[in-house]
Amino acid sequence: MSVRVRFAPSPTGYLHVGGARTALFNWLFARRQEGTFILRIEDTDVERSREEMTEAILEGMRWLGLSWDEGPFYQSQRRDRHKETGRKLAASGHAYACFCPPAELKERREEAERKGVAWKYERVCLALPAEEVERRIASGAPHALRFRVPEGTTTWEDRVHGSTAFANETLEDFVLLRSDGTPTYHLSVVSDDVGMRISDVIRGDDHLSNTPKQILLYQALGMPTPTFAHLPLILGPDKKRLSKRHGAVAVTEYREAGYLPEALFNFLALLGWSPGDGREFLPREELVRLFSFDGVGKKGAVFDEQKLQWLNSQYIQAMPVAVIRESIRSELQAKGLWDPSLEGDRGAWFEQVVEILKARSRKLSDLARDCAIFLGERIEFSSEAVAKHLQDSATIQRMKELRTALAEVEPFDEASTEQSLRKVAERLGIAAAKLIHPLRVALTGQAISPGVFAVLVLVGRERALQRIDRLVQYLEARPPQPS
RNA sequence: GGCGCUAUCGUCUAGGGGUUAGGACGGGUGGUUCUCAGCCAUCAAACCGGGGUUCGAAUCCCCGUAGCGCUACCA
């Protein structure tokens, strides 16, 4: 029997990491089992659904590489089938008309809530004589269709939680069709899952208590139930379900922040699942190969951005520089630092730049930011760097000496420039660091940077000399420093 | 309130009757060095509580406790 799974988001917001993780497990399972992954948009809540959110969700899924095989299907376009399923249930005696005014029921529910007692629909309309029901329906009385919950216990073998049971008496006769004839969630979901021949329902833990109701619907319909797997929720640092309150939750926000889809994918898979052998860096194909519900935990997992950053850095390290260049191109363009020559004449040079930057980057945005010292024409001196390395008034003269040496050194490579600088330091009787740090500030404006000689060579002799000149001018223009 | 789910280092987890309770992130320390990162070495850090069962329980059972989720004519 072929595996058919679905991801069924509501288009009420962007694709958040919790939803993405649910989609991801569905995807992994489908790929592992060589099954079918179906995308179904549950847009039947007209109040909250926004059409443009559907596109945002699709965009998030494409970015993460969660390709679907069928769909997207729209639940709102399948209403007639849902209603038909409801009518079938009524015809077979599994559902009945309820004429109770919703406002009245709501009031009683709230009153029970206030008193702190349990309340469920008392089945007043179930007791109505058949003739009266017919008469009232014929007279056009508004009515909902309620499912008649049978006696007994509903159990299933959850792929994550194992054997799970609910006493049916804790369930109320829930509404299938509203008074206006529209189907409710449980009816729509089961109707669609049956219609789409879904074999395995993989969703968040928040649906665990919906499951008995839905199983009852399958049984009333005479349909085989799918297997269920309820994934633990993703939590914020306060251990509550991750939400906007905790910061970034949309997958697109992670893209903007400089994370790679491969890293987020890997991270999300590890959130609640473990291969068991301690490996952490697991590219997509490996994940597909290893995935099994055996490794899925039952406990909610806190989203730890530190670990995501670490994984991201691992993917950056593993990425060919040419690919990194493509990935940061739009960000460089946005900063006005991009030039077509970076893919042409200066391609090899730029790859060296990326090479020395990548080991120190946890996010692509770090890398793109650090490119500025090589691509930008002007650099700004950071106040920390100035305070730390430019206080000595002898620096002006030292930089002039260094400039002279660097103007002549041949070849202009790391080894020779370093040798040259050290020679100057020796001649002046000072530690090399007294030249290195101001040089770093001259070249990068920062107190921290990659190895200063690597930077020097990549900046190039001409620009390096200009930057040293600028530093000297800056220091000379500066009012005398209090000693 | 009712129902349900869950419980191993700060975090993600491995282990499932006898282990020095393992790994990873993060943190500490030391080394490399021109800074930072990286890398290498190294350290600290956990079985929610109480009862059973057993020669022996983190592991099995029960009871608590805590956290979370659901409790609509929302999805």
Side-chain angles (χ1 to χ4, degrees), chain A residues 9 14 30 53 89 105-106 120 125 148 207 260 266 269 291 318 322 329 354 379 402 412-413 421 436 450 470:
Chain A
Y14 296 91
M53 285 301 131
L89 256 6
L105 295 176
K106 191 181 174 205
K120 62 175 185 177
C125 293
R148 182 179 177 174
H207 285 288
L260 294 164
N266 190 157
F291 182 77
R329 185 214 303 230
V354 171
I379 51 133
L402 179 60
F412 197 75
D413 61 17
L421 178 143
I436 285 174
R470 237 194 99 222

Side-chain angles (χ1 to χ4, degrees), chain A residues 38-95:
Chain A
I38 299 161
L39 180 59
R40 184 172 75 218
I41 305 296
E42 305 211 328
D43 57 345
T44 47
D45 183 342
V46 288
E47 295 287 308
R48 297 191 299 153
S49 292
R50 310 262 309 282
E51 213 174 298
E52 61 270 30
M53 285 301 131
T54 297
E55 191 42 51
I57 289 169
L58 300 189
E59 185 189 346
M61 290 185 64
R62 286 191 203 103
W63 181 66
L64 271 178
L66 295 170
S67 48
W68 55 94
D69 306 305
E70 292 182 15
F73 298 112
Y74 293 85
Q75 199 161 59
S76 60
Q77 291 174 6
R78 303 171 58 86
R79 282 215 156 108
D80 290 345
R81 294 172 212 238
H82 306 155
K83 289 180 192 176
E84 180 52 37
T85 306
R87 278 193 287 273
K88 211 181 285 178
L89 256 6
S92 61
H94 291 286

Side-chain angles (χ1 to χ4, degrees), chain A residues 246-268:
Chain A
H246 297 103
V249 287
V251 304
T252 44
E253 291 179 89
Y254 286 89
R255 177 183 63 192
E256 303 328 323
Y259 291 102
L260 294 164
E262 293 83 356
L264 187 58
F265 190 101
N266 190 157
F267 176 72
L268 254 18

